[in-house]
Amino acid sequence: MSSSEPKDPTGADSPPANAVSEPVRDLVPFRSAVRAWFLISLQTFGGPAGQIAVMQRTLVDERRWIGQRRFLHALNYCMLLPGPEAQQLAIYVGWLLNGTRGGVVAGTLFVLPGLLALLALSAIYVAFGETTAVVALFAGLAPAVLAIVVQAVVRVGRRALAHPALVAVAVAAFLALAVFAVPFPVVVAAAAAVGWALGRFAPHTMRRGGQHDAVEGPEPVIPDDALHAEPPSTARTVRVLAVGLLLWAAPLVAVAVLAGTGSVLTEQGLFFSGTALVTFGGAYAVLPYVAQRAVEVYGWLAPGEMVRGLALAETTPGPLIMVVQFVAFLGAFRDPGTLDPWVAAVIASLLVTWVTFVPSFLFIFLGAPYIERLRNNRSLSAALTGITAAVVGVIANLALYFTLHTLFRETSTTTWGPVQLEIPDLATVQPLAIGITLAAFLMIFRFRWSMLRTLGVCALLGLAAAVVAPALL
């Protein structure tokens, strides 16, 4: 069977993959896709690193629905966009497999469990504050998340870094972020330029070694070189843009009309609509700005509460930028206007979630058809390969961030000229976190336990510590 003639999972022969003038069909049964995306959505812990690792394992390695290089090509495009790249990757792959409805389902399910979980946790936080049980649960889950992120660094690195030159790009990206505090968009642009240069002047660095491409199993449903998706057109672009902008703006206009342009709901809707367009580099790149505005300008949060919200987001499935839901919930609860505080808080949470994530659908449905047609462009592919290598460094930087903030209670930033290092306060080391982290590493790397099983056991260890040695929390 050639790569341009994929087989349907049911066993029937498919029409040629390059027959793009025909209506887009389901490449996998839609029910199977919905079930798979739902199961993925329950495992999307650990930020973008963990989420991408889950999709890699499920879609590429286990189900063989998409080829490795095709998966990385989609990821590279998503890395260039503002917003949560893991959710955008889910939308992209869902669109490849089942058209527009597949992308809508994949992107929605990717967010839904986290939305519901963080909505409940926000309500618990407002109603009960910090309780021993909640603190203990977080004490167990955070180390597990750290181990999951490190696993993602290893997995993605093995597949993406096929040449020492690409390893150097990954290391440079890590140092730029962790040591010199270079803005994420600059790192991505530099990686793309280096990738282009390598492809132009040292093309052998772009060729993957056999061990990196070899994935055991049958031919994927979407092979690396096949073309399955609908072609781009001006009419389609205008239609997608019009529908997307209408859906994005409609709830915000409704809130402004019903609650008033000066209400906290309208303020939050406008503010987070703007941040949705500048969240390059994921949640950590934009959260300092969100925290500063939410605390010092709008007064939605008290100092320190942003960190608690991030802890909640880190231990729930879905993108970490979901922390904006926590910000909106607290801000609206404390300034509900004429509404009941609980009603205002729920409306604010849903509104902010909507304006934050709807743009991701718009970006993918607009750009993916064009990106698909550029897959065989050597210059673009080389630039995206450079970005892929940089992604490994980005994930490693996230792992460092998790390490510092999981194993130590306090850190400080030290500056020497262009060098900006976050240094842990050794006096605030957390023995319990170290112990559970070591246990999590054993579960994942030695015993090869699943992500959910590891999270569950670590959560139980945290709860047990609250009973046996509460002073360690």
Side-chain angles (χ1 to χ4, degrees), residues 79-80 177 182-192 278-282 285 387 394:
M79 289 294 297
L80 295 175
L177 292 167
V182 177
F184 179 82
V186 175
V187 173
V188 171
V278 297
T279 52
F280 294 94
I387 294 174
V394 172

Side-chain angles (χ1 to χ4, degrees), residues 146-455:
L146 170 58
I148 290 167
V149 172
V150 172
Q151 182 191 40
V153 174
V154 174
R155 284 185 169 178
V156 177
R158 284 176 177 172
R159 296 187 184 279
L161 307 181
H163 190 276
L166 298 179
V167 175
V169 172
V171 173
F174 171 78
L175 293 176
L177 292 167
V179 178
F180 298 101
V182 177
F184 179 82
V186 175
V187 173
V188 171
V194 172
W196 174 86
L198 289 174
R200 178 71 180 274
F201 302 107
H204 63 281
T205 62
M206 299 288 107
R207 300 183 190 129
R208 301 177 183 275
Q211 74 270 26
H212 295 279
D213 276 347
V215 178
E216 294 184 1
E219 181 77 3
V221 174
I222 304 178
D224 289 325
D225 299 320
L227 188 63
H228 292 279
E230 57 190 309
S233 68
T234 301
R236 180 191 181 279
T237 298
V238 171
R239 183 172 64 253
V240 170
L241 187 61
V243 173
L245 291 176
L246 178 63
L247 289 174
W248 189 12
L252 181 56
V253 172
V255 164
V257 171
L258 297 176
T261 56
S263 69
V264 68
L265 297 178
T266 304
E267 283 184 344
Q268 291 178 344
L270 289 172
F271 175 70
F272 287 110
S273 292
T275 58
L277 299 177
V278 297
T279 52
F280 294 94
Y284 290 118
V286 76
L287 283 181
Y289 170 72
V290 171
Q292 185 268 333
R293 301 286 291 182
V295 173
E296 299 178 12
V297 177
Y298 295 106
W300 296 330
L301 295 173
E305 285 186 320
M306 193 70 185
V307 176
R308 298 170 196 169
L310 182 58
L312 293 175
E314 286 172 344
T315 51
T316 56
L320 290 178
I321 196 63
M322 189 69 78
V323 68
V324 300
Q325 182 186 4
F326 176 82
V327 175
F329 192 100
L330 267 63
F333 184 88
R334 292 165 179 170
D335 184 17
T338 59
L339 297 175
D340 176 83
W342 289 103
V343 173
V346 172
I347 292 176
S349 292
L350 298 178
L351 173 66
V352 165
T353 302
W354 182 270
V355 300
T356 297
F357 290 103
V358 165
S360 293
F361 293 91
L362 181 58
F363 295 146
I364 296 302
F365 292 147
L366 276 177
Y370 296 95
I371 293 298
E372 282 296 295
R373 266 62 194 174
L374 293 172
R375 282 204 330 277
N376 294 322
N377 182 290
R378 292 185 178 181
S379 295
L380 178 63
S381 296
L384 293 181
T385 298
I387 294 174
T388 300
V391 167
V392 180
V394 172
I395 299 174
N397 181 56
L398 290 180
L400 175 63
Y401 179 93
F402 274 112
T403 300
L404 294 176
H405 292 273
T406 299
L407 305 185
F408 301 90
R409 294 187 185 276
E410 297 179 10
T411 63
S412 60
T413 301
T414 302
T415 302
W416 296 291
V419 175
Q420 296 184 39
L421 289 177
E422 188 173 10
I423 307 296
D425 184 349
L426 298 181
T428 64
V429 67
Q430 302 188 75
L432 177 62
I434 292 177
I436 297 180
T437 298
L438 292 175
F441 271 84
L442 284 175
M443 295 174 206
I444 289 179
F445 290 99
R446 177 66 177 84
F447 302 117
R448 302 187 182 278
W449 285 7
S450 69
M451 187 183 305
L452 289 180
R453 186 180 183 185
T454 301
L455 287 165

Side-chain angles (χ1 to χ4, degrees), residues 17-58:
N18 57 4
V20 295
S21 60
E22 299 180 3
V24 177
R25 63 185 183 85
D26 291 334
L27 297 182
V28 299
F30 187 63
R31 287 187 177 181
S32 298
V34 172
R35 185 164 54 251
W37 288 116
F38 176 71
L39 292 175
I40 288 173
S41 74
L42 299 179
Q43 304 175 61
T44 52
F45 294 88
Q51 294 153 9
I52 293 168
V54 168
M55 286 188 281
Q56 163 77 42
R57 183 177 65 246
T58 302

